Amino acid sequence: MAKHVVVVDYGMGNLRSVAKAAEHMADDQTKIIISSHPQDIDSADAIIFPGQGAAKACMQALNETGMIHSLQKAANEKPFLGICMGLQVLMTHSQENNGIDCLNILKGDVVQFNLTAHPELKMPHMGWNQIHQTQEHPLWHKIPQDSRFYFVHSYYVMPETPEIIAGETTHGTKFTSAIAKDNLFAIQAHPEKSAESGLQLFKNFLNWQP
Amino acid sequence: MSLAKRIIPCLDVDNGRVVKGVQFVDIRDAGDPVEIAKRYDEQGADEITFLDITATADDRATMVHVVEEVASQVFIPLTVGGGIRTVEDIRRMLNAGADKVAINSAAIFNPAFVQEACDTFGSQCIVVAIDAKKVSVAGDSDKWEIFTHGGRRETGIDAIEWARKMEELGAGELLVTSMDRDGTKIGFDLELTRTIADSVNIPVIASGGVGELSHLTEGVVSGHAEAVLAASIFHFGQHTVQEAKQAMQKAGIEVRL
């Protein structure tokens, strides 16, 4: 039976790159669909939730599409992969844009890097950095410990419950770069731009049966 | 464990074909941007930059197809520069699969465009390209100015002030090319690179003048660059990206190997 994977389109971010990377790793039975319709999210077998840009603009765009309820439901029910801003807006609240309430699917805040102690470090955190896998997870399958992924961001998530942390990265300060909870996995880096490691993560996601 | 310094091969594309000659021994078509990009990806390039040197609008449409093709086969960040003048130009390139665009002349003629671009698409995808030439004479303190038209036309704009201004307007990254060094193979203008890198908080990509591997290392160590861009050193098979990374690692620089 064909498997339908929906890449959520809310007008934010490089969803075509995400869809292309997923397509590259998908088998013949898997269809990658870009959609902004709540009913497609409801009927999908798995969800990829990308995102880019500012938190406020993302939340506004999500509100306008009427997808929030479907996304919250999907995040509790089916394989769900959040990428970059698609990780951050899962949290309760973000400091960005003078503070903005997010989807509250995961408890915790999104905060800005404070690099006053590290004047040599640049902002945004842009480039290839290592993810230290802090728990075993099907999505880390065949991805070596401390592999490098491509990042671009100035804010990071601080989950309330450390048990959901799946990966950590250091840029001046150590921060949570991946989280895992039941059927949900989300990553701060861009697997669609992270060469072999990123493609392997898509493959793992497409094969995942939580 | 920290952020790796990046190596970025740069390809000049004219009407959908790579120019300036790329000579891999075992490549079928040395003018095909897709094939060349794949090769650099295999060698471990951290990003690839395409510079569209085409003059006409028709040929620009060709560049969109090139980006589409590359983006469906190469899964590392792609930057496109050359002829980016409007929000619509940016949207087309991002939709085709580019991750960043480099804005050059349009920033000089209309600085507000940089801000508009960043507000619309986010700073993460806006690179401002700065082409600078040294204008101070020996004995004076160093001074560089922005030049356009491949270094032929002066603007009178101070390069360091310009870099700070571009950061303020929201640029996510600066691609700093020394027009004095471009094509010379004698190495980056390290003073220019370092002065700009130390004046801004956003990442600086050093460009212009790479002729041997040690130049790349110098760009990071002495130029304080976050990334180094080079063309001919890789095109002519003189060195692979992998060799460049090994040389940088030997010099104590953190790289993705």
Side-chain angles (χ1 to χ4, degrees):
Chain A
M1 211 181 73
K3 181 175 172 181
H4 289 90
V5 178
V6 167
V7 178
V8 183
D9 176 9
Y10 53 109
M12 301 299 290
N14 59 343
L15 69 164
R16 278 178 191 75
S17 297
V18 171
K20 278 173 176 172
E23 267 161 18
H24 196 74
M25 301 313 284
D27 60 28
D28 299 342
Q29 297 299 304
T30 305
K31 273 195 171 157
I32 310 293
I33 302 152
I34 295 176
S35 173
S36 55
H37 300 296
Q39 60 270 32
D40 288 339
I41 293 172
D42 295 339
S43 64
D45 297 300
I47 299 291
I48 299 177
F49 184 50
Q52 224 171 34
K56 192 176 180 181
C58 280
M59 286 308 297
Q60 266 171 0
L62 279 170
N63 274 312
E64 282 162 16
T65 60
M67 284 190 291
I68 288 184
H69 179 71
S70 293
L71 282 169
Q72 282 168 330
K73 199 159 166 278
N76 283 313
E77 283 174 356
K78 50 186 109 181
F80 191 106
L81 175 63
I83 296 173
C84 191
M85 187 51 75
L87 157 63
Q88 295 186 7
V89 295
L90 297 177
M91 308 306 290
T92 311
H93 186 266
S94 172
Q95 274 183 0
E96 200 175 356
N97 310 118
N98 299 317
I100 174 99
D101 285 334
C102 296
L103 295 174
N104 197 27
I105 289 167
L106 299 168
K107 299 281 176 217
D109 286 335
V110 184
V111 300
Q112 192 168 16
F113 278 104
N114 179 351
L115 296 180
T116 41
H118 301 274
E120 77 284 6
L121 294 181
K122 297 291 185 179
M123 203 40 49
H125 173 229
M126 179 189 286
W128 296 80
N129 207 336
Q130 289 168 294
I131 298 183
H132 187 76
Q133 300 161 16
T134 53
Q135 56 170 280
E136 278 189 31
H137 194 280
L139 264 73
W140 293 138
H141 178 63
K142 283 190 174 169
I143 298 176
Q145 177 63 288
D146 296 325
S147 287
R148 288 187 187 273
F149 284 77
Y150 187 79
F151 288 83
V152 188
H153 63 123
S154 303
Y155 289 78
Y156 61 90
V157 300
M158 289 181 66
E160 260 175 33
T161 43
E163 304 87 71
I164 68 169
I165 296 173
E168 289 177 329
T169 298
T170 302
H171 186 59
T173 180
K174 189 158 81 179
F175 68 93
T176 299
S177 51
I179 58 115
K181 186 172 183 266
D182 307 323
N183 55 299
L184 190 156
F185 189 94
I187 181 164
Q188 181 61 61
H190 287 277
E192 74 280 10
K193 290 292 159 183
S194 297
E196 293 88 24
S197 306
L199 292 174
Q200 182 65 43
L201 190 110
F202 278 109
K203 189 175 183 184
N204 295 342
F205 177 71
L206 295 171
N207 290 334
W208 190 24
Q209 290 173 320
Chain B
M1 133 166 172
S2 65
L3 201 58
K5 303 298 178 190
R6 289 168 278 154
I7 295 186
I8 309 176
C10 177
L11 300 171
D12 285 2
V13 180
D14 185 6
N15 196 15
R17 303 286 293 172
V18 175
V19 293
K20 252 193 187 174
V22 175
Q23 301 174 349
F24 293 123
V25 271
D26 53 345
I27 202 161
R28 274 172 294 140
D29 176 1
D32 177 11
V34 180
E35 210 175 330
I36 295 166
K38 278 166 78 172
R39 181 60 57 97
Y40 286 137
D41 176 32
E42 282 161 18
Q43 291 182 1
D46 295 310
E47 294 181 25
I48 296 174
T49 291
F50 295 95
L51 198 57
D52 186 5
I53 59 168
T54 311
T56 70
D58 279 0
D59 292 352
R60 293 214 183 285
T62 311
M63 191 65 199
V64 173
H65 296 303
V66 167
V67 174
E68 273 172 359
E69 270 302 296
V70 174
S72 58
Q73 299 181 55
V74 173
F75 300 98
I76 57 176
L78 306 174
T79 302
V80 181
I84 303 289
R85 296 194 181 89
T86 64
V87 162
E88 200 41 48
D89 290 338
I90 300 176
R91 195 185 309 276
R92 268 203 308 179
M93 286 305 174
L94 297 182
N95 281 346
D99 300 282
K100 311 179 201 179
V101 294
I103 302 175
N104 195 342
S105 330
I108 296 160
F109 301 127
N110 177 19
F113 173 53
V114 173
Q115 188 165 20
E116 186 190 9
C118 295
D119 287 349
T120 311
F121 302 104
S123 296
Q124 82 287 338
C125 64
I126 304 300
V127 183
V128 171
I130 296 181
D131 292 349
K133 252 190 192 178
K134 199 169 194 174
V135 293
S136 50
V137 291
D140 284 1
S141 57
D142 288 341
K143 185 172 167 60
W144 297 267
E145 281 182 6
I146 306 291
F147 279 70
T148 62
H149 300 82
R152 293 190 304 278
R153 203 170 295 177
E154 59 177 306
T155 64
I157 302 169
D158 181 84
I160 314 304
E161 281 171 26
W162 183 247
R164 286 206 193 96
K165 183 173 176 182
M166 292 301 105
E167 179 181 32
E168 268 169 38
L169 291 179
E173 207 169 17
L174 299 175
L175 169 59
V176 177
T177 304
S178 161
M179 300 311 289
D180 299 311
R181 297 299 178 91
D182 205 27
T184 63
K185 304 192 180 194
I186 58 170
F188 297 120
D189 182 339
L190 296 170
E191 288 71 31
L192 168 70
T193 309
R194 182 174 57 239
T195 309
I196 292 185
D198 291 353
S199 304
V200 297
N201 289 313
I202 52 178
V204 165
I205 305 165
S207 157
V210 173
E212 48 189 271
L213 294 183
S214 61
H215 294 154
L216 298 171
T217 301
E218 285 170 1
V220 172
V221 174
S222 310
H224 298 179
E226 281 295 303
V228 286
L229 180 138
S232 50
I233 189 177
F234 300 129
H235 293 345
F236 295 104
Q238 190 183 346
H239 292 289
T240 63
V241 177
Q242 188 70 16
E243 285 167 1
K245 288 192 164 180
Q246 283 160 351
M248 282 169 73
Q249 192 184 42
K250 244 184 213 163
I253 298 169
E254 198 152 343
V255 291
R256 174 180 75 108
L257 274 173

